[in-house]
Structure formats: structure tokens, C-alpha cells
Amino acid sequence: MAAGAGLLLAIAIGAWLTLHNEYQHQVDRILREGHRAAQKLALRTGETLDRVNQTTLLVKHLSENRQLPSLRALHAGGVLANDVTRLVLVTDARGFVVDGTSELVALNLADEDDFKAHKRRADLDVLIGPAAPSPLAGGHILPMTRRLNTPDGDFAGMVLATIDPQALIAEYSRSEATDTVVGVLGLDGLYRARIVDGRFSYGEAIEAAAVEHRAREVQRTREPVQSRIDGVARFIVTARVERYPFVAIVAQDATSALAGYRGTRRTVLGWAGALALITLAATAGLLAKARTLQARDRELAEAKAHFQDLYDHAPCGYYSLDARGLFVQINATALAWLGCSREEVIGRLGPRDFYSAEGRAHFDAHYPTFLVQGRAGPFDLDLHSRDGSVRRVSIRATAIRDAQGAFVRSRSVMYDVTELAHMRRLLERANREQAAMLHSELVGIVKLRDRVAVWKNTALDLIFGYAPGELDGQPMRTLYLDEAGYEALGREAYPVLQQGQPYRGQVRMRRKDGTPIWVDMSAVLLSPETGESLWMVLDITALKLHQERAERAASHDALTGLPNRQLLLDRLGQAIPLARRQHTALAVCFIDLDGFKAVNDELGHAAGDRLLQVIATRLGACVRAHDTVARLGGDEFVLVLTQLHERGECERVLERVRSAVREPVVLGDGQSAQVRASIGVACCPDDAGDAERLLAIADAAMYRSKRAGRATPPPAPAALLEPLA
């Protein structure tokens, strides 16, 4: 009986531990997905507000320099962020609207709070008010206002750009469950946009600090909290919108989010109950139940190891600091970024030792404040690894305190935002280029009658390379590459104009010397009686080329032109479901070049770069058209072999790879080098079913191959030992 009671207790403990671990796993997933979603929503909101802010700056600049054309003409030309703004107005110093993007009635904004604030204070920057219905704009709006000044600095009126609040979240919300709340909340306590169950709403009042506090409580307790608006229990995640007083909120309904956990709980409890009944029914079953419990203990140990692996190899760095700013805990990802072992840093070094001079000054200034306030970040710094590499990281931290409120350690997370920072710089440069183009009067404007120029500005001459007056009275056919393009634009544009709608398109045309150019073309019909139309033309040739280069740079390795890790993961994400549907296998082959370091050390980095380029070309020649060759960095390459039906297909490809890599590489100046390949293979579905796990298994297999004998052929993956059905 004592043995039976002990077994019952063990069953209860095992069930509790299983359910506890499953609940923690589910909550980790929910909060991780919510965090990613909130960060994306905050970034999109900031980008949308930046575009409207640029619109107000452009109108302010043109107005104060007496260069402002009709706002309706600018709106028709597509330069006023038309996809997210409903209305743009300009007032004089008395509040009367003097120009706008819609047919205006007599309108005065002198009684509006934003107008009074700008009139009273010259130091105010842009103001963003709460959502409100606007019959003039045709729906709800978020007003963004900016002060206009006279040359002497006196108040001259204001610019008002009204934002469609649905533009902040409409496109994004379609990717979330319908019962998930997605919203943008102002720090003044009013929702600018909110959607749940497919319904948009605006203006709900709730204290932003309270929402952020509840989000921190969810992170700390791992439990959902009840919404103060509709009383539904939700997992709340928030993210601040950079440069603007807003908070992005993603709150998942706990009932639907934990549906999988409840199913697991029913299964585990049912199983535990069945074991208990068997234990009570017959003492003879004690041995079998003890073996079952041992198996469950092994599963728990494996689950614990799995969770530890997730912590160590998460796509971000986790660490904790003591009051001195030294590491007391750190995961493997962060250690890899630092280029150190755990023994080198724990209790000896802190993140300050890996910052630049600017980062160390920031740490010294803010860490004492963090010890008191218990919260820091997000802030971006350069992290210098011991191997000399530098990455841009975004860091945020909260404090863990004991029951008496004393600081115990930090809970810090570090994200690699190197690519994001690079893309932001590219975007900022593109914005500066666009502003310079507008400032330099490079937007061509022409008035046509029967497709013949009756008036045009100087910028049009400059765009197409004509001298002043040469295009006067000339048919527009002169500017097209051929007759077909001229006729095609006429068929597409003029029916739209005759219906009273603006036309917008991008067309290839030609300069006077015959050089093809890309132009962004917008048009409105001025008079149905005369058929006159106004066209705005912007030379976007440089922008087209820049977009092509930026898109390629984001997904390809700069040295070899091969797909980078980002594109590799995307292709794997598509290939794995396809392999399941086609009942075929997929092999991920991790390749490391033996002897490459010696080439770099003895012949120089230029020779090493040349060798990598040649090897990349050879690898591409070894695979089939539907396979992928990618470079992860250094001398590490990855092959993704798809549509495999039997073992020999993979082996034949790898034999070609080994043979091609062994061939000597001519490096120039009479130099040559020879390397070999260490290869590790992982197969889907037998080894793993997701991209990251397949890469990790193949990487580990490659290192085993390297240790076993430098380029010794690795054992064939289990999934390819027999022909596949």
C-alpha cells in the first residue's frame, strides 16, 4: 500500500510538472509572438507618422518660401502621402483656410486648440491630436499640425494634415486573430486606433502608463490580466513608438491563445487519472506504473534540456547583471556575439567592456539610474566582439528585486538590429534625396491640350534635356520611346481623366539624346470643355536603380552574390511545406572550407575574398535549378537540396561539391590555393521539421566531420538510406 501511495504521489507530481512546463511553454510563445507583433506595429506606426510629418515639413517649407503650388495639384501629383492622409489644409494667421486638397467651404480654425497652441508658442513642434469625425475629410481623422512663420518669425498660420487612423493598423491587423486587440494608444490616455473582432474604434480612454504596467505584470507573473475596456482576460504586450508619444498594443485573448494548453491539460489529467485507477485496482501493476513514471521523468528532463536549448540559442541575447554591472547569467547567443566563453565573463566582465567609447559613456551615465528606477531602454549601441566584428544592438532591461525591494539582478535582452539600422540609413538617404529633388525644383509640370504642350515649367526641360522653349507647342509623342508606348498611355490615362479621377503611373520615356528614363507621372483634367489636363512628372530613374540595389543588398551576400541567411530561411520556409505535400525529402548541407584561414593569413584578405567568390560559383554549378546555394558568412556555405527521392541523389551532388572545391583556385599574381570541404547534412522530415533546427543539426554534423578527419565524407542522413516513396 505504501508503494501504491508513493506511486500515486509521483503520478500527481509528474502531471503537475508536465502541465506547469506546458503552460510556461505556451505563455512564452504567446508573449514572444506578441512582442514581435507589437514591435512591428510600433515601427509601422512610426513610419506612417514620419511620412505625414514629412508632408507637413514640405508644405511648411514651400509656404514660408512663397513657393507653394496648389495643394490639390500636389495631392494629385502624389507627393502628400495620399494613401494615409485624408486632407491637407493651410490657414492664415487669423485661422481662415487659404488652401486645401479638397473643395473647401468657408472654414476657420481659429477656435481649435492646436491653432491656439501654435499661435501662443513659437517653440512648439508638430502636434498630433485625438481621433475625431470630420465631415470635410469624409471620416475619422488624426490631426497633425505645424506652425507657419513669417520671415520675421511671427505667427503666419498653420499646416494641418489629417491622418486616416485606420492606416495605422488596418493592414497589420489582418495578420492577427480576430479576438486579438491591436491598437495605438497615446500617452495622453486616448486610443488613436483600435481593432478587435474586426471592428475599428477610436477614442477609448485608458491610462497608457497603466497599460504598460499591466504588460510588465504579464511578463513577470506569466498570467493574463483583464482588460479595463471590455473585461476580457488577455496577454498584453506593448512597445513604444519611436519619436512619437504613442504606445503600440497587442493583446491576445487568453481563452483562444491557451486553447492548446487546455487540450494538453485534459489529456494529461485523463492519463494521470487512468494510471491512478490502475494503481488502486491492482498492486501487481506497480512495476509497470513505476516504469511509466521513469519514462515521464526522462521526458521532463528532455523538455528541460529543450527549454534550456531554446534559452541558449534564442535569436536574441539574454543576460543578467549585478549591481556592479557584471554578468551573472548569459545565454549562448550573447556569448557568441561577444566572442567569449562563459567562464571569461561571469563575475569578471560586463557589457560595458564590449562597448565603444560612446557606449561606455552611455552605460556610466544611465546604469546608476537603472538601479534606482528598475527600467532602461530601448537604446541602440555598437557591440564589439573579441574577434573584431561590430554589430548594432538594441538593449532593454528591467530589474529583479527581493521582498524588501533591494536590487538583485537585471533581466536584460539584446537584439541584433544591424540590418535594421542599415535599412533605416538607406531609407533616410532616400528621403534626403527626394527632399533634395523637390527643393531643386526637379518636379516637371506641363499643361496639355490634345496631348500638345501649351505650358510647362523649367524642371520639365531639365528632366528631358531640352533647352528652354524647345518643347513649347510640341506633341508629347516626342518624349516617348515608341509609338506603342505613346498609344498605350493614352488608352490607359484619358478614360480615367474623363471620369473626373486623377491618373497616376510610372512610365519609361526618353530624353532628347535618346536616353531612356523612368518617370512618375500624375495627371488631372483641368477642363472637360477644352480637354486641357495638368501633368506632373518626376524623374525616378535613380530611385528605381536604388530600390533594385537595396532589395538585392537586403537578401544577398555582398561578396559572392549568393542568398544570405535571411533569404535562405525564407526559401527553407517555402521548401519544407512543399516537400511534405510532394512526399519528398529535403537535405540541408552545411559546408566549411578547410584551409581557408591559411589563405587569409598568408596571402591576404583580397586573396581570401577571391577564393570565396570562385568557390561560390563552383557550388552553384554543382546543384540543380530548384536547389539553393547560400553563404552564411566567413567560409560557411549552405546547400538546400529539394525534391529528393532516394539516397543517391544527395550523394551525387555532394561528390560533385567535394570534387569542385578541391580544384585549385587561381588568385592572380602567380598565386593559387587549394581548400577542401567539411560537410554536415540534416534531412527533413526525419531530423527536424523547421529551418532553424535543420541548420543547427547540419552545423553540428559538419563539426563532427571536421573533428573526425578534415573533409571525411559524413554519414548519409537517415532519411536517404532507402528510396523514398
Side-chain angles (χ1 to χ4, degrees):
M1 293 299 293
L7 187 56
L8 286 173
L9 178 61
I11 292 171
I13 293 174
W16 180 85
L17 288 173
T18 301
L19 292 176
H20 176 74
N21 289 336
E22 177 64 18
Y23 180 82
Q24 293 298 321
H25 171 73
Q26 292 290 339
V27 171
D28 286 343
R29 175 187 59 80
I30 293 167
L31 295 181
R32 184 169 59 252
E33 293 174 353
H35 178 76
R36 286 198 297 264
Q39 289 287 342
K40 289 168 58 181
L41 176 57
L43 180 60
R44 173 177 174 78
T45 299
E47 291 173 346
T48 300
L49 295 176
D50 281 344
R51 292 184 59 209
V52 181
N53 194 13
Q54 290 171 4
T55 291
T56 64
L57 284 171
L58 174 63
V59 174
K60 172 182 172 69
H61 172 76
L62 294 176
S63 177
E64 290 179 348
N65 286 277
R66 302 183 181 276
Q67 298 176 348
L68 181 65
S70 165
L71 287 180
R72 274 177 284 173
L74 289 178
H75 182 271
V79 298
L80 297 181
N82 298 346
D83 55 334
V84 295
T85 58
R86 290 183 180 272
L87 181 66
V88 180
L89 302 175
V90 174
T91 77
D92 61 16
R94 298 175 298 166
F96 287 101
V97 175
V98 296
D99 196 3
T101 55
S102 71
E103 295 293 336
L104 299 177
V105 297
L107 186 63
N108 188 290
L109 303 181
D111 291 332
E112 298 294 331
D113 292 338
D114 290 347
F115 183 91
K116 294 176 181 178
H118 284 303
K119 184 175 183 179
R120 186 172 57 252
R121 294 180 55 188
D123 60 332
L124 282 181
D125 196 13
V126 65
L127 295 178
I128 305 175
S134 172
L136 187 60
H140 276 75
I141 62 167
L142 291 177
M144 179 181 288
T145 60
R146 186 176 291 278
R147 174 187 170 110
L148 296 177
N149 293 315
T150 68
D152 297 328
D154 295 332
F155 179 65
M158 74 174 184
V159 181
L160 166 65
T162 62
I163 307 167
D164 180 0
Q166 292 191 20
L168 301 180
I169 60 174
E171 178 181 351
Y172 172 78
S173 64
R174 287 193 289 271
S175 65
E176 299 297 320
T178 57
D179 55 6
T180 296
V181 174
V182 179
V184 178
L185 175 64
L187 298 185
D188 58 2
L190 294 177
Y191 266 105
R192 281 355 186 235
R194 183 175 184 266
I195 185 171
V196 62
D197 293 332
R199 297 190 300 272
F200 287 94
S201 61
Y202 321 94
E204 292 91 346
I206 185 169
E207 186 180 351
V211 174
E212 291 181 312
H213 174 74
R214 291 161 72 81
R216 291 193 296 272
E217 284 295 306
V218 169
Q219 291 284 344
R220 183 180 63 83
T221 65
R222 326 298 286 173
E223 296 289 341
V225 296
Q226 275 196 334
S227 170
R228 295 182 179 176
I229 293 181
D230 54 17
V232 176
R234 290 191 172 91
F235 290 97
I236 302 175
V237 180
T238 64
R240 285 290 182 95
V241 179
E242 292 186 8
R243 302 178 300 280
Y244 297 98
F246 297 111
V247 177
I249 298 173
V250 175
Q252 302 181 61
D253 188 314
T255 301
S256 59
L258 292 174
Y261 166 73
R262 290 195 298 275
T264 302
R265 183 175 61 186
R266 288 192 297 270
T267 301
V268 172
L269 292 179
W271 175 79
L275 285 180
L277 290 175
I278 293 173
T279 301
L280 295 174
T283 306
L286 288 175
L287 181 60
K289 295 177 182 61
R291 290 173 178 171
T292 301
L293 184 58
Q294 291 173 356
R296 177 58 60 188
D297 289 340
R298 286 193 299 271
E299 291 177 5
L300 290 175
E302 292 173 359
K304 181 179 179 181
H306 175 68
F307 288 132
Q308 184 63 38
D309 179 73
L310 288 178
Y311 169 79
D312 268 336
H313 301 96
C316 57
Y318 293 114
Y319 61 86
S320 294
L321 306 179
D322 61 16
R324 300 170 298 170
L326 301 180
F327 290 114
V328 294
Q329 188 176 359
I330 186 169
N331 72 343
T333 299
L335 286 171
W337 292 355
L338 300 180
C340 297
S341 67
R342 198 178 305 274
E343 293 73 17
E344 289 179 286
V345 301
I346 296 298
R348 298 180 178 181
L349 301 175
R352 184 186 185 281
D353 297 296
F354 299 89
Y355 292 156
S356 63
E358 177 187 359
R360 290 192 294 273
H362 183 279
F363 184 88
D364 294 340
H366 291 84
Y367 196 68
T369 305
F370 165 71
L371 295 178
V372 176
Q373 296 181 350
R375 183 179 180 85
F379 49 82
D380 294 353
L381 296 170
D382 286 335
L383 189 73
H384 294 256
S385 173
R386 285 289 176 83
D387 63 9
S389 62
V390 180
R391 70 184 72 232
R392 191 72 171 173
V393 295
S394 179
I395 301 172
R396 64 175 67 232
T398 55
I400 299 176
R401 302 186 185 278
D402 60 19
Q404 289 72 40
F407 179 86
V408 177
R409 66 180 184 274
S410 75
R411 185 190 294 111
S412 305
V413 61
M414 177 169 58
Y415 298 95
D416 186 342
V417 296
T418 306
E419 290 189 12
L420 178 60
H422 175 66
M423 295 306 294
R424 283 177 175 170
R425 289 193 296 271
L426 291 178
L427 179 60
E428 290 170 358
R429 186 174 69 183
N431 288 337
R432 289 194 299 270
E433 290 175 355
Q434 184 183 39
M437 292 168 65
L438 292 173
H439 197 60
S440 301
E441 299 181 351
L442 293 181
V443 176
I445 304 175
V446 60
K447 184 166 68 172
L448 303 180
R449 183 187 302 128
D450 298 328
R451 304 189 78 175
V452 174
V454 296
W455 175 89
K456 45 86 182 140
N457 68 350
T458 305
L460 192 76
D461 295 329
L462 296 175
I463 290 174
F464 290 100
Y466 285 85
E470 276 192 280
L471 285 175
D472 293 346
Q474 293 297 315
M476 290 296 100
R477 170 66 183 87
T478 308
L479 304 180
Y480 287 81
L481 289 173
D482 50 41
E483 187 70 26
Y486 175 75
E487 295 294 338
L489 183 91
R491 290 192 301 271
E492 179 181 346
Y494 280 93
V496 175
L497 297 179
Q498 292 298 332
Q499 295 174 8
Q501 300 295 321
Y503 171 77
R504 175 79 179 274
Q506 294 183 353
V507 185
R508 289 197 77 191
M509 304 184 79
R510 68 179 178 186
R511 292 172 56 84
K512 180 181 179 181
D513 61 6
T515 304
I517 62 172
W518 275 100
V519 297
D520 190 309
M521 184 179 294
S522 305
V524 292
L525 186 65
L526 297 178
S527 171
E529 292 76 16
T530 64
E532 290 183 342
S533 55
L534 184 69
W535 297 72
M536 300 183 70
V537 179
L538 180 65
D539 184 350
I540 60 170
T541 307
L543 181 59
K544 281 280 189 181
L545 296 175
H546 173 71
Q547 288 175 343
E548 293 173 2
R549 291 194 297 269
E551 290 170 0
R552 182 167 183 84
S555 59
H556 288 75
D557 175 52
L559 178 64
T560 64
L562 294 177
N564 61 12
R565 184 181 185 89
Q566 175 182 333
L567 184 55
L568 171 66
L569 291 176
D570 179 73
R571 291 188 179 177
L572 266 176
Q574 299 178 41
I576 291 172
L578 180 62
R580 294 194 184 102
R581 290 195 299 270
Q582 295 179 342
H583 302 291
T584 59
L586 178 152
V588 175
C589 309
F590 207 105
I591 301 174
D592 185 86
L593 303 181
D594 297 329
F596 174 74
K597 185 176 184 300
V599 174
N600 257 351
D601 292 345
E602 296 173 10
L603 303 181
H605 289 288
D609 289 347
R610 173 60 183 161
L611 185 143
L612 291 175
Q613 292 170 335
V614 172
I615 294 298
T617 301
R618 292 179 182 176
L619 292 178
C622 291
V623 300
R624 300 158 298 177
H626 51 73
D627 297 330
T628 294
V629 181
R631 181 188 178 214
L632 298 188
D635 59 343
E636 293 181 340
F637 296 85
V638 171
L639 306 184
V640 179
L641 307 181
T642 61
Q643 302 181 23
L644 300 176
H645 297 84
E646 50 89 19
R647 168 183 177 177
E649 293 182 74
C650 180
E651 292 181 340
R652 286 192 291 274
V653 173
L654 295 183
E655 274 305 312
R656 291 199 297 271
V657 167
R658 294 187 187 96
S659 177
V661 171
R662 282 196 300 266
E663 288 295 321
V665 177
V666 177
L667 302 176
D669 296 330
Q671 296 177 330
S672 64
Q674 186 175 18
V675 295
R676 303 181 71 187
S678 289
I679 305 176
V681 182
C683 180
C684 175
D686 283 11
D687 291 328
D690 64 273
E692 291 287 358
R693 188 64 180 152
L694 284 169
L695 285 171
I697 293 173
D699 188 14
M702 181 275 294
Y703 277 107
R704 288 196 299 271
S705 174
K706 185 181 289 288
R707 288 194 299 269
R710 298 292 180 183
T712 300
L720 302 179
L721 291 178
E722 299 295 338
L724 297 170

